[in-house]
Amino acid sequence: MSYQEKKIIVSIISNILIFTLYTLYAINNAKEGSITSASDFSFWGSFILVLLPVSIVAKIIIHIVFVIFNKIATNEDGPSFEDEFDKIIELKADRISLYVFFFGFIFSMVPLVTGQPTYLTLLVLILFGFLSDLLGRIAQLYFYRKGV
């Protein structure tokens, strides 16, 4: 398995763990009724504003640990450059990720149009933001394995 494939697998696992653990933490510490309140968006605003730096810091730490463990296990350094193949794969995966997020954005407007609670719009946006990143990484892994 190549370095890029290992890095993507670690990224997929870490994204799932970070999102799941933070979501469980935020829901357990939420005040009663703040999650489903139609007029109180402070929970969802703080959820997003805290999730971003938490996930960035956690991903940086996980990436550093991955590089260290990979160096110890294989005694090889990661590639110091990206070639055209890597850039093409990244662009194709980014395109898929953007399609998923765009579909999620359109889908998140449905609760507003149908008179559903407004917090569902934010919930769908958060969910599709997570899914777009996850499916983008899965697409990268697929393209590396396929060789395109």
Side-chain angles (χ1 to χ4, degrees):
M1 186 178 299
S2 71
Y3 177 83
Q4 288 89 350
E5 290 173 331
K6 291 178 200 173
K7 186 177 172 183
I8 292 168
I9 290 172
V10 167
S11 179
I12 289 170
I13 293 169
S14 66
N15 285 346
I16 292 170
L17 284 175
I18 292 166
F19 185 77
T20 304
L21 292 176
Y22 178 72
T23 301
L24 291 174
Y25 171 78
I27 289 173
N28 287 335
N29 290 337
K31 295 178 184 173
E32 185 67 33
S34 66
I35 295 175
T36 59
S37 175
S39 62
D40 183 20
F41 295 111
S42 64
F43 171 78
W44 294 108
S46 65
F47 180 89
I48 293 170
L49 287 176
V50 173
L51 177 62
L52 291 174
V54 165
S55 65
I56 289 170
V57 169
K59 287 177 186 180
I60 290 171
I61 293 170
I62 289 169
H63 180 70
I64 291 170
V65 170
F66 167 73
V67 170
I68 291 170
F69 279 134
N70 187 57
K71 176 70 175 171
I72 292 171
T74 64
N75 202 19
E76 296 176 0
D77 291 329
S80 60
F81 64 92
E82 285 186 344
D83 59 1
E84 297 300 320
F85 180 69
D86 294 330
K87 291 179 183 178
I88 289 172
I89 287 177
E90 186 176 348
L91 286 172
K92 285 183 175 186
D94 285 348
R95 182 178 58 192
I96 291 171
S97 180
L98 287 172
Y99 285 157
V100 171
F101 185 76
F102 179 73
F103 175 74
F105 179 79
I106 298 299
F107 189 66
S108 71
M109 295 299 123
V110 171
L112 294 176
V113 172
T114 60
Q116 298 294 321
T118 313
Y119 71 89
L120 289 176
T121 298
L122 294 171
L123 190 62
V124 171
L125 279 173
I126 292 168
L127 179 67
F128 272 90
F130 167 71
L131 286 177
S132 70
D133 184 41
L134 184 65
L135 291 176
R137 299 292 181 182
I138 291 171
Q140 274 184 320
L141 185 62
Y142 172 76
F143 291 137
Y144 271 113
R145 296 246 169 132
K146 186 179 174 188
V148 174

